[in-house]
Amino acid sequence: MKSYDVAVIGVGIVGASAVYALARAGARVIALDAGVPGAGTSSTSFAWVNSVRKEPEIYHRLNAEGLAAHRQLARELGDDGGFHAGGSLEWAEGDDEVRELGGRVARLADRGYSAAWIGAERARSMEPGLSLPVHVKDVAFYADEGWLDAPRAVRRLLAASGAEVREAARVQLRRTPGDRVEAVVDGEAIDTESILVCVGPATQTFLTSLGVAVPVGRVPGILAVTSRPAQPLGCVVHAPGIHLRPDASGGLLLGATDVDGLIGETSSRETASAVAAQLLERAARVFPAARAVRLVDARIGVRPMPGDGQTIAGRIPGSANAWMLATHSGVTLGPLLGRLIAGEIVGGTPSATLAPFRPERFATAGAPATTKA
């Protein structure tokens, strides 16, 4: 039987980043996915690489480190790694919203984050296709941000890792003597020293076989994809009621937080199309070239949401050889979390950066993160 140092279960952007980092650290890795790597949550994320609304400060700083990790990874992988720099733009409407944005920009700048105000004319010169309201004189600009073509990044990471990859793998975990965990793949146990679970929104269900409960919810949402506009868009834009960016296809990718609530995991194609049409109507108000495009896809996705909104990273409670990663910020944090958890698994030294984000914090707070009898 072939043996491995680490089995990584779940190969979205978080899992693929871990596979890459583990392989670079010298581990023999097998990557296991229930479907096609990168075709799950990672393919239905807006994939904005940022730390703009990540609070409290300790979580903001983790995500800010995530931006730096993306830039480092881009240098390692080259131009075909899927990361697109260029920053992001944001403006607000309404007294409360304008005050919130102003306070946030000031707070981020005080923390050393790349947040600054630029004049509306400069914003228009950066993105000539935008239609800014005449009363908007200044726009927030986050220079270090970008977006990720996550499926492409997953493919590139796996190819660069040289790891064995199995698609459509049915994986279960079971306990063995000595507080160890074993992975059973398509009915057969595999020989691996360590296990890393990166199954996103399936985390809570997946860990029940170990008698472990860690609160990771499922948050559905929708994105609309359009045909290619006559006027290209270069960066991520957050306008009132709509966020948009270039899509890897050449079209536009559209989303809005408020319409996510109109969608469920089992929503019909008709419902998804109707919501996507709303997104396109909103986009056309701030990016007039969108009036001439057509909708080509409405992507319903499900993202993981830890119980307190922050990343969960570390050894699975009650396990001597199994770790987990679960986060709502997978695209931003994937390369950083992969590198840090690889250091723990291969190097055996706990990461101080990950110390505030351990699964055990839920048990301390009274939420379920325990091993059931």
Side-chain angles (χ1 to χ4, degrees):
M1 178 187 294
K2 192 171 182 180
S3 62
Y4 308 92
D5 295 314
V6 188
V8 178
I9 304 168
V11 197
I13 188 60
V14 174
S17 295
V19 169
Y20 173 78
L22 286 161
R24 280 176 63 90
R28 294 165 298 168
V29 184
I30 181 170
L32 305 164
D33 197 88
V36 175
T41 298
S42 295
S43 69
T44 57
S45 167
F46 189 66
W48 171 33
V49 179
N50 79 99
S51 189
V52 163
R53 296 179 182 268
K54 310 297 176 72
E55 300 292 340
E57 184 173 354
I58 193 170
Y59 193 51
H60 161 78
R61 295 201 178 280
L62 183 73
N63 280 269
E65 286 189 49
L67 269 71
H70 269 283
R71 292 191 290 274
Q72 174 59 39
L73 185 62
R75 289 190 287 271
E76 294 173 9
L77 297 181
D79 294 338
D80 61 345
F83 179 69
H84 298 259
S88 70
L89 298 168
E90 181 181 10
W91 70 94
E93 296 276 3
D95 293 343
D96 291 345
E97 291 78 5
V98 169
R99 278 193 296 271
E100 188 280 329
L101 177 58
R104 178 156 44 87
V105 169
R107 182 171 65 253
L108 291 170
D110 285 346
R111 293 173 178 174
Y113 192 70
S114 60
W117 292 104
I118 62 173
E121 285 307 311
R122 182 182 169 195
R124 291 187 183 97
S125 70
M126 292 170 58
E127 290 292 346
L130 286 179
S131 178
L132 290 170
V134 293
H135 62 272
V136 173
K137 304 304 180 185
D138 296 290
V139 175
F141 178 49
Y142 311 108
D144 289 345
E145 296 179 353
W147 62 275
L148 187 71
D149 179 352
R152 182 185 185 113
V154 168
R155 293 191 297 269
R156 183 71 178 88
L157 286 162
L158 294 178
S161 75
E164 180 179 339
V165 180
R166 293 192 197 176
E167 301 180 357
R170 295 180 294 110
V171 184
Q172 292 180 308
L173 300 181
R174 66 188 181 196
R175 291 194 178 276
T176 61
D179 290 329
R180 292 183 62 81
V181 173
E182 183 176 62
V184 180
V185 182
D186 297 327
E188 181 178 350
I190 61 172
D191 182 5
T192 182
E193 180 63 26
S194 300
I195 293 168
L196 175 61
V197 176
C198 305
V199 295
T203 299
Q204 190 162 302
T205 300
F206 190 74
L207 294 180
T208 57
S209 63
L210 300 180
V212 172
V214 178
V216 180
R218 300 172 62 88
V219 180
I222 185 170
L223 297 171
V225 185
T226 77
S227 58
R228 187 184 297 269
Q231 173 76 55
L233 180 68
C235 73
V236 179
V237 174
H238 280 74
I242 189 71
H243 44 264
L244 59 159
R245 69 160 173 82
D247 185 64
S249 65
L252 302 172
L253 187 67
L254 316 175
T257 303
D258 64 317
V259 304
D260 285 343
L262 304 176
I263 291 293
E265 294 186 40
T266 59
S267 290
S268 67
R269 175 54 56 182
E270 290 75 18
T271 297
S273 296
V275 174
Q278 291 183 42
L279 292 172
L280 181 56
E281 181 182 354
R282 295 182 188 186
R285 297 172 194 163
V286 299
F287 193 70
R291 296 169 187 162
V293 302
R294 58 185 174 81
L295 290 169
V296 298
D297 196 12
R299 299 174 182 166
I300 295 177
V302 182
R303 295 178 66 190
M305 179 60 79
D308 60 3
Q310 298 179 43
T311 295
I312 305 171
R315 200 182 298 267
I316 295 172
S319 167
N321 70 318
W323 284 258
M324 65 173 292
L325 293 172
T327 181
H328 192 64
S329 304
V331 167
T332 296
L333 290 177
L336 176 65
L337 294 179
R339 173 166 53 82
L340 294 178
I341 209 73
E344 293 195 350
I345 296 172
V346 176
T349 303
S351 164
T353 301
L354 295 181
F357 306 104
R358 301 302 188 190
E360 291 81 6
R361 73 183 186 270
F362 294 104
T364 302
T370 58
T371 302
K372 299 177 182 176

